[in-house]
Amino acid sequence: QRIYIQSMAGLRMKIELPHLRELNNLGVVAINKAELVVPLDESVVAEFGVPTSLQITAIDSSGSPVFPVDFFEGSDYYGGVYDSEKKQYVFNIARHLQSILNSPEIVNYGLYITNSGNSVNARRGVFNGPQHPDKPLKLRMTYTIIE
């Protein structure tokens, strides 16, 4: 129900999307929009403040983080900034997920979520996991079946 992040040599979230490639069973799929929504656990008091922004990295075959292609589109597209009204972070990862669908021969090792500036700030956060009963971590995706 909860996921934790702590900067420096602390914790990072690992997100796996094991059933993503099952979309290919529908035919040729074009992902129009894919947002990973990471809600803050509002029941936990953050003495040191919540992270102002988070960052997603893909995981390569050696377990190292690499920036997804969406990151290079800029922060307005990519997201990851804390929305204090909705108490959540939203990432646009449509291009990354499309690349996974388009390359079934490449292993999908998942994603890491960390604090932005992980090595220079001491922020930490508690977030709702995918099993949270009210406001779970989720992937909102819109796609079109081409054929």
Side-chain angles (χ1 to χ4, degrees), residues 111-134:
L111 303 165
Y112 287 137
I113 301 179
T114 58
N115 285 324
S116 291
N118 197 27
S119 61
V120 295
N121 73 50
R123 301 269 181 179
R124 58 184 173 206
V126 181
F127 307 90
N128 295 345
Q131 302 302 321
H132 191 274
D134 301 320

PDB file of all heavy atoms in Angstrom, residues 111-134:
ATOM      1  N   LEU A 111      11.119   0.484 -14.273  1.00  0.00           N
ATOM      2  CA  LEU A 111      11.445   1.899 -14.079  1.00  0.00           C
ATOM      3  C   LEU A 111      11.846   2.137 -12.633  1.00  0.00           C
ATOM      4  O   LEU A 111      11.359   1.463 -11.724  1.00  0.00           O
ATOM      5  CB  LEU A 111      10.220   2.770 -14.382  1.00  0.00           C
ATOM      6  CG  LEU A 111       9.586   2.657 -15.757  1.00  0.00           C
ATOM      7  CD1 LEU A 111       8.203   3.285 -15.760  1.00  0.00           C
ATOM      8  CD2 LEU A 111      10.479   3.326 -16.779  1.00  0.00           C
ATOM      9  N   TYR A 112      12.726   3.106 -12.436  1.00  0.00           N
ATOM     10  CA  TYR A 112      13.024   3.606 -11.099  1.00  0.00           C
ATOM     11  C   TYR A 112      12.397   4.981 -10.964  1.00  0.00           C
ATOM     12  O   TYR A 112      12.389   5.764 -11.907  1.00  0.00           O
ATOM     13  CB  TYR A 112      14.528   3.783 -10.876  1.00  0.00           C
ATOM     14  CG  TYR A 112      15.332   2.518 -10.715  1.00  0.00           C
ATOM     15  CD1 TYR A 112      16.554   2.385 -11.357  1.00  0.00           C
ATOM     16  CD2 TYR A 112      14.905   1.476  -9.895  1.00  0.00           C
ATOM     17  CE1 TYR A 112      17.326   1.252 -11.206  1.00  0.00           C
ATOM     18  CE2 TYR A 112      15.664   0.328  -9.745  1.00  0.00           C
ATOM     19  CZ  TYR A 112      16.873   0.222 -10.394  1.00  0.00           C
ATOM     20  OH  TYR A 112      17.637  -0.899 -10.238  1.00  0.00           O
ATOM     21  N   ILE A 113      11.910   5.294  -9.771  1.00  0.00           N
ATOM     22  CA  ILE A 113      11.466   6.653  -9.460  1.00  0.00           C
ATOM     23  C   ILE A 113      12.292   7.127  -8.275  1.00  0.00           C
ATOM     24  O   ILE A 113      12.368   6.439  -7.245  1.00  0.00           O
ATOM     25  CB  ILE A 113       9.967   6.720  -9.133  1.00  0.00           C
ATOM     26  CG1 ILE A 113       9.135   6.200 -10.312  1.00  0.00           C
ATOM     27  CG2 ILE A 113       9.570   8.146  -8.791  1.00  0.00           C
ATOM     28  CD1 ILE A 113       7.641   6.207 -10.079  1.00  0.00           C
ATOM     29  N   THR A 114      12.921   8.274  -8.445  1.00  0.00           N
ATOM     30  CA  THR A 114      13.762   8.862  -7.406  1.00  0.00           C
ATOM     31  C   THR A 114      13.416  10.340  -7.261  1.00  0.00           C
ATOM     32  O   THR A 114      12.699  10.904  -8.078  1.00  0.00           O
ATOM     33  CB  THR A 114      15.254   8.750  -7.759  1.00  0.00           C
ATOM     34  OG1 THR A 114      15.487   9.396  -9.011  1.00  0.00           O
ATOM     35  CG2 THR A 114      15.710   7.303  -7.845  1.00  0.00           C
ATOM     36  N   ASN A 115      13.960  10.962  -6.235  1.00  0.00           N
ATOM     37  CA  ASN A 115      13.865  12.411  -6.100  1.00  0.00           C
ATOM     38  C   ASN A 115      14.722  13.049  -7.173  1.00  0.00           C
ATOM     39  O   ASN A 115      15.826  12.563  -7.459  1.00  0.00           O
ATOM     40  CB  ASN A 115      14.392  12.876  -4.740  1.00  0.00           C
ATOM     41  CG  ASN A 115      13.443  12.594  -3.618  1.00  0.00           C
ATOM     42  OD1 ASN A 115      12.233  12.675  -3.793  1.00  0.00           O
ATOM     43  ND2 ASN A 115      13.970  12.270  -2.467  1.00  0.00           N
ATOM     44  N   SER A 116      14.266  14.141  -7.757  1.00  0.00           N
ATOM     45  CA  SER A 116      15.124  14.908  -8.658  1.00  0.00           C
ATOM     46  C   SER A 116      16.215  15.527  -7.798  1.00  0.00           C
ATOM     47  O   SER A 116      15.960  15.975  -6.690  1.00  0.00           O
ATOM     48  CB  SER A 116      14.337  16.018  -9.353  1.00  0.00           C
ATOM     49  OG  SER A 116      13.420  15.460 -10.250  1.00  0.00           O
ATOM     50  N   GLY A 117      17.433  15.545  -8.306  1.00  0.00           N
ATOM     51  CA  GLY A 117      18.550  16.040  -7.505  1.00  0.00           C
ATOM     52  C   GLY A 117      18.860  15.092  -6.362  1.00  0.00           C
ATOM     53  O   GLY A 117      19.255  15.503  -5.279  1.00  0.00           O
ATOM     54  N   ASN A 118      18.693  13.808  -6.611  1.00  0.00           N
ATOM     55  CA  ASN A 118      18.835  12.761  -5.613  1.00  0.00           C
ATOM     56  C   ASN A 118      20.147  12.842  -4.832  1.00  0.00           C
ATOM     57  O   ASN A 118      20.186  12.551  -3.648  1.00  0.00           O
ATOM     58  CB  ASN A 118      18.718  11.409  -6.317  1.00  0.00           C
ATOM     59  CG  ASN A 118      18.450  10.273  -5.364  1.00  0.00           C
ATOM     60  OD1 ASN A 118      17.881  10.463  -4.313  1.00  0.00           O
ATOM     61  ND2 ASN A 118      18.868   9.094  -5.748  1.00  0.00           N
ATOM     62  N   SER A 119      21.213  13.251  -5.487  1.00  0.00           N
ATOM     63  CA  SER A 119      22.522  13.252  -4.825  1.00  0.00           C
ATOM     64  C   SER A 119      22.830  14.551  -4.088  1.00  0.00           C
ATOM     65  O   SER A 119      23.833  14.631  -3.398  1.00  0.00           O
ATOM     66  CB  SER A 119      23.617  12.973  -5.853  1.00  0.00           C
ATOM     67  OG  SER A 119      23.605  13.986  -6.835  1.00  0.00           O
ATOM     68  N   VAL A 120      21.981  15.568  -4.213  1.00  0.00           N
ATOM     69  CA  VAL A 120      22.287  16.851  -3.585  1.00  0.00           C
ATOM     70  C   VAL A 120      21.211  17.355  -2.631  1.00  0.00           C
ATOM     71  O   VAL A 120      21.354  18.425  -2.066  1.00  0.00           O
ATOM     72  CB  VAL A 120      22.580  17.946  -4.643  1.00  0.00           C
ATOM     73  CG1 VAL A 120      23.829  17.630  -5.421  1.00  0.00           C
ATOM     74  CG2 VAL A 120      21.389  18.147  -5.558  1.00  0.00           C
ATOM     75  N   ASN A 121      20.126  16.615  -2.451  1.00  0.00           N
ATOM     76  CA  ASN A 121      19.130  17.032  -1.457  1.00  0.00           C
ATOM     77  C   ASN A 121      18.770  15.845  -0.573  1.00  0.00           C
ATOM     78  O   ASN A 121      19.010  14.707  -0.925  1.00  0.00           O
ATOM     79  CB  ASN A 121      17.884  17.651  -2.116  1.00  0.00           C
ATOM     80  CG  ASN A 121      17.009  16.636  -2.802  1.00  0.00           C
ATOM     81  OD1 ASN A 121      16.645  15.617  -2.228  1.00  0.00           O
ATOM     82  ND2 ASN A 121      16.638  16.889  -4.039  1.00  0.00           N
ATOM     83  N   ALA A 122      18.220  16.138   0.568  1.00  0.00           N
ATOM     84  CA  ALA A 122      17.907  15.078   1.530  1.00  0.00           C
ATOM     85  C   ALA A 122      16.405  14.868   1.670  1.00  0.00           C
ATOM     86  O   ALA A 122      15.920  14.532   2.730  1.00  0.00           O
ATOM     87  CB  ALA A 122      18.525  15.431   2.880  1.00  0.00           C
ATOM     88  N   ARG A 123      15.684  15.038   0.610  1.00  0.00           N
ATOM     89  CA  ARG A 123      14.223  14.873   0.651  1.00  0.00           C
ATOM     90  C   ARG A 123      13.860  13.389   0.692  1.00  0.00           C
ATOM     91  O   ARG A 123      14.592  12.534   0.215  1.00  0.00           O
ATOM     92  CB  ARG A 123      13.580  15.502  -0.579  1.00  0.00           C
ATOM     93  CG  ARG A 123      13.843  16.955  -0.746  1.00  0.00           C
ATOM     94  CD  ARG A 123      12.794  17.759  -0.083  1.00  0.00           C
ATOM     95  NE  ARG A 123      13.074  19.168  -0.292  1.00  0.00           N
ATOM     96  CZ  ARG A 123      12.315  20.116   0.149  1.00  0.00           C
ATOM     97  NH1 ARG A 123      11.225  19.834   0.802  1.00  0.00           N
ATOM     98  NH2 ARG A 123      12.629  21.366  -0.051  1.00  0.00           N
ATOM     99  N   ARG A 124      12.713  13.163   1.250  1.00  0.00           N
ATOM    100  CA  ARG A 124      12.170  11.806   1.255  1.00  0.00           C
ATOM    101  C   ARG A 124      10.664  11.901   1.130  1.00  0.00           C
ATOM    102  O   ARG A 124      10.077  12.966   1.343  1.00  0.00           O
ATOM    103  CB  ARG A 124      12.577  11.066   2.518  1.00  0.00           C
ATOM    104  CG  ARG A 124      12.144  11.735   3.777  1.00  0.00           C
ATOM    105  CD  ARG A 124      12.667  10.998   4.983  1.00  0.00           C
ATOM    106  NE  ARG A 124      12.380  11.759   6.185  1.00  0.00           N
ATOM    107  CZ  ARG A 124      13.070  11.676   7.275  1.00  0.00           C
ATOM    108  NH1 ARG A 124      14.101  10.872   7.327  1.00  0.00           N
ATOM    109  NH2 ARG A 124      12.735  12.371   8.327  1.00  0.00           N
ATOM    110  N   GLY A 125      10.053  10.808   0.757  1.00  0.00           N
ATOM    111  CA  GLY A 125       8.609  10.839   0.579  1.00  0.00           C
ATOM    112  C   GLY A 125       7.991   9.468   0.766  1.00  0.00           C
ATOM    113  O   GLY A 125       8.649   8.451   0.599  1.00  0.00           O
ATOM    114  N   VAL A 126       6.726   9.485   1.121  1.00  0.00           N
ATOM    115  CA  VAL A 126       5.931   8.262   1.230  1.00  0.00           C
ATOM    116  C   VAL A 126       4.780   8.415   0.252  1.00  0.00           C
ATOM    117  O   VAL A 126       4.091   9.439   0.240  1.00  0.00           O
ATOM    118  CB  VAL A 126       5.407   8.055   2.665  1.00  0.00           C
ATOM    119  CG1 VAL A 126       4.595   6.763   2.758  1.00  0.00           C
ATOM    120  CG2 VAL A 126       6.551   8.047   3.667  1.00  0.00           C
ATOM    121  N   PHE A 127       4.587   7.413  -0.586  1.00  0.00           N
ATOM    122  CA  PHE A 127       3.624   7.482  -1.679  1.00  0.00           C
ATOM    123  C   PHE A 127       2.680   6.298  -1.619  1.00  0.00           C
ATOM    124  O   PHE A 127       3.015   5.246  -1.082  1.00  0.00           O
ATOM    125  CB  PHE A 127       4.368   7.506  -3.020  1.00  0.00           C
ATOM    126  CG  PHE A 127       5.395   8.585  -3.081  1.00  0.00           C
ATOM    127  CD1 PHE A 127       6.702   8.350  -2.683  1.00  0.00           C
ATOM    128  CD2 PHE A 127       5.057   9.860  -3.493  1.00  0.00           C
ATOM    129  CE1 PHE A 127       7.645   9.354  -2.702  1.00  0.00           C
ATOM    130  CE2 PHE A 127       5.991  10.876  -3.516  1.00  0.00           C
ATOM    131  CZ  PHE A 127       7.292  10.626  -3.114  1.00  0.00           C
ATOM    132  N   ASN A 128       1.500   6.483  -2.175  1.00  0.00           N
ATOM    133  CA  ASN A 128       0.538   5.391  -2.265  1.00  0.00           C
ATOM    134  C   ASN A 128       1.014   4.388  -3.312  1.00  0.00           C
ATOM    135  O   ASN A 128       1.394   4.765  -4.409  1.00  0.00           O
ATOM    136  CB  ASN A 128      -0.837   5.911  -2.654  1.00  0.00           C
ATOM    137  CG  ASN A 128      -1.442   6.813  -1.611  1.00  0.00           C
ATOM    138  OD1 ASN A 128      -0.998   6.864  -0.469  1.00  0.00           O
ATOM    139  ND2 ASN A 128      -2.466   7.545  -1.998  1.00  0.00           N
ATOM    140  N   GLY A 129       0.945   3.123  -2.952  1.00  0.00           N
ATOM    141  CA  GLY A 129       1.299   2.065  -3.880  1.00  0.00           C
ATOM    142  C   GLY A 129       0.101   1.627  -4.700  1.00  0.00           C
ATOM    143  O   GLY A 129      -1.016   2.137  -4.528  1.00  0.00           O
ATOM    144  N   PRO A 130       0.299   0.669  -5.585  1.00  0.00           N
ATOM    145  CA  PRO A 130      -0.810   0.226  -6.446  1.00  0.00           C
ATOM    146  C   PRO A 130      -1.931  -0.491  -5.691  1.00  0.00           C
ATOM    147  O   PRO A 130      -3.030  -0.625  -6.210  1.00  0.00           O
ATOM    148  CB  PRO A 130      -0.137  -0.711  -7.450  1.00  0.00           C
ATOM    149  CG  PRO A 130       1.162  -1.079  -6.853  1.00  0.00           C
ATOM    150  CD  PRO A 130       1.552   0.010  -5.910  1.00  0.00           C
ATOM    151  N   GLN A 131      -1.679  -0.918  -4.463  1.00  0.00           N
ATOM    152  CA  GLN A 131      -2.708  -1.604  -3.672  1.00  0.00           C
ATOM    153  C   GLN A 131      -3.442  -0.677  -2.711  1.00  0.00           C
ATOM    154  O   GLN A 131      -4.259  -1.132  -1.920  1.00  0.00           O
ATOM    155  CB  GLN A 131      -2.067  -2.748  -2.881  1.00  0.00           C
ATOM    156  CG  GLN A 131      -1.346  -3.768  -3.738  1.00  0.00           C
ATOM    157  CD  GLN A 131      -2.227  -4.412  -4.780  1.00  0.00           C
ATOM    158  OE1 GLN A 131      -3.386  -4.710  -4.529  1.00  0.00           O
ATOM    159  NE2 GLN A 131      -1.702  -4.621  -5.957  1.00  0.00           N
ATOM    160  N   HIS A 132      -3.153   0.629  -2.770  1.00  0.00           N
ATOM    161  CA  HIS A 132      -3.817   1.572  -1.872  1.00  0.00           C
ATOM    162  C   HIS A 132      -5.318   1.576  -2.173  1.00  0.00           C
ATOM    163  O   HIS A 132      -5.724   1.624  -3.338  1.00  0.00           O
ATOM    164  CB  HIS A 132      -3.229   2.979  -2.041  1.00  0.00           C
ATOM    165  CG  HIS A 132      -3.658   3.938  -1.001  1.00  0.00           C
ATOM    166  ND1 HIS A 132      -4.824   4.667  -1.101  1.00  0.00           N
ATOM    167  CD2 HIS A 132      -3.108   4.273   0.178  1.00  0.00           C
ATOM    168  CE1 HIS A 132      -4.959   5.406  -0.029  1.00  0.00           C
ATOM    169  NE2 HIS A 132      -3.927   5.203   0.774  1.00  0.00           N
ATOM    170  N   PRO A 133      -6.177   1.538  -1.146  1.00  0.00           N
ATOM    171  CA  PRO A 133      -7.620   1.397  -1.389  1.00  0.00           C
ATOM    172  C   PRO A 133      -8.304   2.632  -1.979  1.00  0.00           C
ATOM    173  O   PRO A 133      -9.312   2.493  -2.673  1.00  0.00           O
ATOM    174  CB  PRO A 133      -8.189   1.095   0.003  1.00  0.00           C
ATOM    175  CG  PRO A 133      -7.178   1.636   0.957  1.00  0.00           C
ATOM    176  CD  PRO A 133      -5.848   1.518   0.269  1.00  0.00           C
ATOM    177  N   ASP A 134      -7.790   3.840  -1.722  1.00  0.00           N
ATOM    178  CA  ASP A 134      -8.498   5.043  -2.162  1.00  0.00           C
ATOM    179  C   ASP A 134      -7.868   5.741  -3.358  1.00  0.00           C
ATOM    180  O   ASP A 134      -8.552   6.135  -4.284  1.00  0.00           O
ATOM    181  CB  ASP A 134      -8.596   6.061  -1.014  1.00  0.00           C
ATOM    182  CG  ASP A 134      -9.320   5.482   0.188  1.00  0.00           C
ATOM    183  OD1 ASP A 134     -10.316   4.760  -0.005  1.00  0.00           O
ATOM    184  OD2 ASP A 134      -8.866   5.740   1.317  1.00  0.00           O
TER     185      ASP A 134
END
